[in-house]
Amino acid sequence: MRKGKRWFLMAMAALTIGALAGCGSNAGDKGDKNIESPTSSNGGSAAGEHVLNLAKLTPLQACDPHKVNDAMSNELLTAVFDGLYTLNENGELDPLMAESYEESEDGLTYTFHLREAYWSNGDPVTANDFAFSWKRLVDPATAAKNSNEAVAAGIKNAKAIVDGTMDPKELGVTVIDDKTLQVELEAIVPYFLKTLVRPAFLPINQAYFESAGEDYGMKPEATIYNGPYTWTYWDYATNIRATKNPDYWNAENMDIDQLNWQIVTDSQTGALMFESGQLDFVEISGDLINNYASNPAFTKALEVHMWYVYPNFENEALANVNIRRALATSINKEAIAETVLNNGSQVANYFVGYNLCFAPDGKTQMRDTNGDNFLVYDLESAKKYWQKGLEELGKESVTLRLMYYNNNDASIAQAEYIASQWQQTLPGLAVELYSYPSNSALTYAQDGDFDLFLFRWGPDYKDPMAFLELIGRNNEHNYGHYDGKAYNDIIDAASTAELLKNPQTRWESLAEAEKILLEDDVAVFPTVQNGLAMLINPKVHGLEVRNTSLTWNYRFVTMDD
Amino acid sequence: MGKDMGRYIVKRVLIAAVTLLAITFLLFLLMDLLPGSPFNNEKLNEAQRALLEHKYGLDKPFFVRYWIYLNNLLHGNFGISYVIAVDQPVSGMMASRLPITIRMGVQAMLIGVVVGLIFGIIAALKKNTWIDTIATICSVIGFSVPAYVFALFLVFFAAFKMGWFPIRFAIDQPVFSSILPTLSLSAYIIATMARYARSEMIECLSSDYITLAKAKGISEQKVIIRHALRNTLVPIITVVSPLMIGLITGSVVVEQIFGVPGLGQMLLSGVQNNDYNVIMAVALVYSFLYIVIMLVVDVLYGFIDPRIRVSGGKA
């Protein structure tokens, strides 16, 4: 007994001394690592080097173009690999691996001529790197998260292969010689070339890929690059780094020497880091926007992402067009854009976002063709439609469930505002709020288990269909099961060879579809086109605008000395 | 005595193993009930989701999946991540994070226990003086302010305003960067320890054997150190295991605030993305740590207090 106690006391004393000793040595250990230093602060870079420190909200998932389709991974992929093309500051095609291309007269065959360029292991970039990668993209065994993009691009046989009814070898991609790649399409696809800028279509060096095995795209040292940067560090958590690729074909025009990404989920912390010079870029939201509004580093930008509400047509009340119109026109979109979000978002009285794409003339946007006056906020008429709708339903009150994401600040703020506004302005309406993490909310949406669903969509390709097809009869994203005949006729026809041959007619009919969708059928309630509020180091240029349908592209970013 | 103790420990280890097994089942069941799937984001269509679920065997029946998981686990395989680091073995991901989290936890526990004891004992010795009042106020604050508020406060003052520490965990200065998270986590422990030590000490000082010792003419200092302090320390180890829970839950939030690439941060991303194997592995590691600490505390206690050991061994 006495022995035991003494032993215990000695142990306590030892612990105490250990703790104090531990405290004492803490401050001095800046060098105790054998990892390659990822420089999470401004320190560590040689003088005169242009190092960009970037805060991002969501973590990296992998650096393999066919395993991911999330924001951070796409950003890294775009930095370390060169596809055939990218988009420049003005959203125009900018050749990377492709030096030139020829289009056949029927518009169904493209022949790309590749430039002289090399992988970071010294191998030349060849046509097979693309053919191999694209066949892997559609192969069901890969289960690629972006295989649908090959289908959207219209590459011959892509759909059948993705559906598992054809061998991946049959994909309409042919290696003519080392530097010549031929691509056949199912039909004319007006946005085909601009689809090729997406990470799904990046090349993979087959020989290296096969030798690297499972580590490809998972470990920086087990992956090779043909882009302006090479991926050099990942802690599988919150730190990612890419360093300038000296062997890049256009290396002399790349101004940034190093990219350090840090995942900072708390925007308050991000703002403090920015202020103390540890970051060159951070997105901010909420109250922080007011705090920084007059700061020279503060920048707002408009994205192509659209926020809108799905009404569920299987709900008795929402099946009534007057009820839908009342709900859609009683949302004070200006208050959402200017006050609730205040992040550069813009009132959306339309569904096909600004800056998505141009008509065949290369100048006209859908907003020029169709205007932006659908479902405009109008409380007086909304109340009348509401009363009319209630009378038609024979009801005095209606309860509706509004579902939204609880892992997105903009979603929470908007949903709460919309719900309270609806309840205040539409007599007899009770709104119940249901918030879930996005992936659970999507499960409920797919099951049709919601009344109203606040949703955000970023388009994958540059065509009005990138939005309009979402509400099409058979589309996965038609969560509310809208089935308007006039609308669907146009959407179905838009993918037929006949209309694809007449792009101007097609453009006009898509404009008509948007009008039917919003004005006649009120099948979605657009709220705002999403904006981004950011703090950007004033010495950094070219980060202001995120390239639509692509991602941040560091090829065009420069930094003052 | 040795034989009793051995039997007691063997029995406790067996109970711990069964508990862990039950935890795996419960976790697996809970995750099966979790709405959503690791392969559900708005960009994936139904066919893609089905392909992915098939590729990773998630389309198999519940018990088949559980059996496969358990079998892998017994071979030391925690599976791979589906989302947060696609196809990356979870064990590898934990290997780099575990030391960071454990370091923070151990530091917070040590600082918390030592500082808390000192505060508590001083407060008890200076009972009903201004020192006691201040110590009590401090411990009430430490007890009631959540770790994340404390963390934000430290970030703002110690890191941002004064610039003494990195605002966010710097991976090339792991020890230096761990100071603020450690302090945030230890506040609660200091407060709990101080309150507990104070009341134990006060009770000790008023007990008969202290009066006897004093009556025997032993000096005040000797009475406190040899009798009161020693008897105060013994029951305190029982507080350690509940404090572990606070440490674990606190670390999830604190790691998020400081961007610490630790287990808590991994758990949170795992939960947000329905990354089943990641959630399972981290939750199991936490359970394992907790069970081990409880076991050690119980055994230690058995060493010190034979009454527990005897009844424990025979029950």
Side-chain angles (χ1 to χ4, degrees), chain A residues 100-264:
Chain A
S100 63
Y101 74 93
E102 290 131 28
E103 189 182 341
S104 66
E105 249 171 57
D106 60 4
L108 294 178
T109 307
Y110 285 79
T111 308
F112 296 97
H113 301 282
L114 307 189
R115 77 169 70 243
E116 195 72 21
Y118 296 89
W119 290 96
S120 51
N121 70 344
D123 286 0
V125 176
T126 65
N128 185 60
D129 299 336
F130 286 92
F132 170 73
S133 164
W134 297 7
K135 286 173 185 169
R136 176 176 182 251
L137 168 68
V138 291
D139 189 344
T142 312
K145 289 178 178 166
N146 39 15
S147 58
N148 53 320
E149 293 184 26
V151 180
I155 301 174
K156 195 176 166 193
N157 298 336
K159 176 129 182 41
I161 297 167
V162 167
D163 289 346
T165 57
M166 199 183 269
D167 191 283
K169 286 194 201 107
E170 304 293 321
L171 188 72
V173 180
T174 317
V175 175
I176 306 288
D177 61 46
D178 268 2
K179 292 290 172 196
T180 315
L181 180 76
Q182 196 179 73
V183 183
E184 290 167 85
L185 304 185
E186 302 256 4
I188 294 172
V189 177
Y191 46 86
F192 170 67
L193 287 173
K194 286 191 175 175
T195 308
L196 297 182
V197 307
R198 301 272 302 166
F201 301 99
L202 293 170
I204 294 175
N205 178 318
Q206 182 173 3
Y208 185 86
F209 173 81
E210 281 161 3
S211 71
E214 286 180 354
D215 289 339
Y216 185 87
M218 309 304 299
K219 295 193 171 127
E221 67 278 12
T223 315
I224 53 170
Y225 314 93
N226 72 329
Y229 299 92
T230 57
W231 181 34
T232 41
Y233 181 81
W234 184 26
D235 60 358
Y236 304 120
T238 48
N239 295 280
I240 304 127
R241 190 174 72 182
T243 316
K244 195 169 174 176
N245 177 0
D247 302 322
Y248 183 54
W249 63 272
N250 196 17
E252 73 258 35
N253 291 319
M254 296 298 117
D255 185 62
I256 304 299
D257 298 295
Q258 189 174 306
L259 299 163
N260 287 329
W261 288 274
Q262 301 177 59
I263 310 308
V264 182

Side-chain angles (χ1 to χ4, degrees), chain B residues 1 40 56 65-66 69 77 113 146-148 171 206 214 218 242 249 255 262 284:
Chain B
M1 171 176 162
N40 204 359
Y56 292 106
R65 276 184 289 130
Y66 181 61
Y69 184 83
N77 178 358
V113 168
Y148 75 90
I171 195 106
S206 61
K214 280 183 183 163
I218 300 173
T249 50
E255 286 186 8
L284 279 179

Side-chain angles (χ1 to χ4, degrees), chain A residues 29 38 218 236 458 476-477, chain B residues 42-43 46 86 97 171 175:
Chain A
D29 81 316
M218 309 304 299
Y236 304 120
E476 292 265 339
H477 296 93
Chain B
E42 69 261 15
K43 297 287 181 187
E46 198 175 342
V86 182
R97 291 161 178 264
I171 195 106
V175 180

Side-chain angles (χ1 to χ4, degrees), chain B residues 42-62:
Chain B
E42 69 261 15
K43 297 287 181 187
L44 292 179
N45 63 38
E46 198 175 342
Q48 287 174 312
R49 292 198 299 272
L51 265 181
L52 283 159
E53 297 211 335
H54 180 71
K55 180 178 172 184
Y56 292 106
L58 293 178
D59 52 350
K60 294 192 172 80
F62 175 80

Side-chain angles (χ1 to χ4, degrees), chain B residues 23 46 59 62 90 103 116 125 152 161 163 209 212-213 221 234 239 268 281 286 290 300 305:
Chain B
I23 289 172
E46 198 175 342
D59 52 350
F62 175 80
V90 173
R103 180 208 293 278
L125 294 177
L152 288 175
K161 281 280 175 204
Y209 60 87
L212 176 69
Q221 206 182 350
V234 177
V239 200
L268 202 70
Y286 278 156
Y290 185 58
L300 262 186
D305 193 338

Side-chain angles (χ1 to χ4, degrees), chain A residues 7 24 27 29 46 107 124 131 149 201 262 264 275 310 337 385 522 552:
Chain A
W7 178 86
D29 81 316
E149 293 184 26
F201 301 99
Q262 301 177 59
V264 182
E275 276 203 57
Y310 280 103
Y385 283 116
V522 201
W552 306 95

Side-chain angles (χ1 to χ4, degrees), chain B residues 59-285:
Chain B
D59 52 350
K60 294 192 172 80
F62 175 80
F63 281 101
V64 176
R65 276 184 289 130
Y66 181 61
W67 178 247
I68 294 173
Y69 184 83
L70 214 54
N71 200 19
N72 285 338
L73 195 61
L74 290 175
H75 292 91
N77 178 358
F78 284 96
I80 55 171
S81 160
Y82 300 137
V83 188
I84 63 174
V86 182
D87 292 352
Q88 200 63 231
V90 173
S91 49
M93 292 165 68
M94 284 199 297
S96 67
R97 291 161 178 264
L98 194 60
I100 296 174
T101 298
I102 296 224
R103 180 208 293 278
M104 273 173 26
V106 170
Q107 286 175 174
M109 191 57 102
L110 290 178
I111 292 174
V113 168
V114 173
V115 176
L117 276 181
I118 293 171
F119 278 17
I121 289 165
I122 291 175
L125 294 177
K126 308 278 179 191
K127 198 175 106 182
N128 297 335
T129 66
W130 62 273
I131 296 177
D132 183 23
T133 314
I134 289 175
T136 307
I137 291 174
C138 286
S139 64
V140 168
I141 292 173
F143 193 74
S144 43
V145 173
Y148 75 90
V149 174
F150 205 63
L152 288 175
F153 174 83
L154 286 177
V155 166
F156 189 74
F157 283 99
F160 178 65
K161 281 280 175 204
M162 309 313 279
W164 294 332
F165 297 96
I167 293 174
R168 191 173 164 282
F169 193 91
I171 195 106
D172 50 352
Q173 305 173 346
V175 180
F176 185 53
S177 317
S178 73
I179 295 176
L180 292 189
T182 299
L183 290 179
S184 319
L185 286 172
S186 62
Y188 178 83
I189 300 174
I190 293 176
T192 315
M193 271 295 159
R195 275 161 40 120
Y196 203 80
R198 179 180 177 274
S199 60
E200 282 293 328
M201 190 74 177
I202 288 173
E203 202 183 310
C204 257
L205 287 174
S206 61
S207 58
D208 294 343
Y209 60 87
I210 297 287
T211 319
L212 176 69
K214 280 183 183 163
K216 275 176 157 178
I218 300 173
S219 73
E220 177 84 22
Q221 206 182 350
K222 247 183 175 173
V223 169
I224 289 168
I225 292 172
R226 290 199 49 177
H227 298 277
L229 189 58
R230 196 190 274 187
N231 284 301
T232 303
L233 289 178
V234 177
I236 275 177
I237 44 168
T238 53
V239 200
V240 170
S241 41
L243 280 177
M244 272 286 293
I245 298 180
L247 212 52
I248 287 169
T249 50
S251 75
V252 176
V253 183
V254 167
E255 286 186 8
Q256 199 69 14
I257 290 171
F258 288 96
V260 180
L263 276 193
Q265 195 262 353
M266 183 171 162
L267 180 66
L268 202 70
S269 331
V271 172
Q272 282 169 347
N273 293 292
N274 284 35
D275 205 337
Y276 299 141
N277 289 339
V278 169
I279 308 174
M280 279 297 285
V282 179
L284 279 179
V285 168

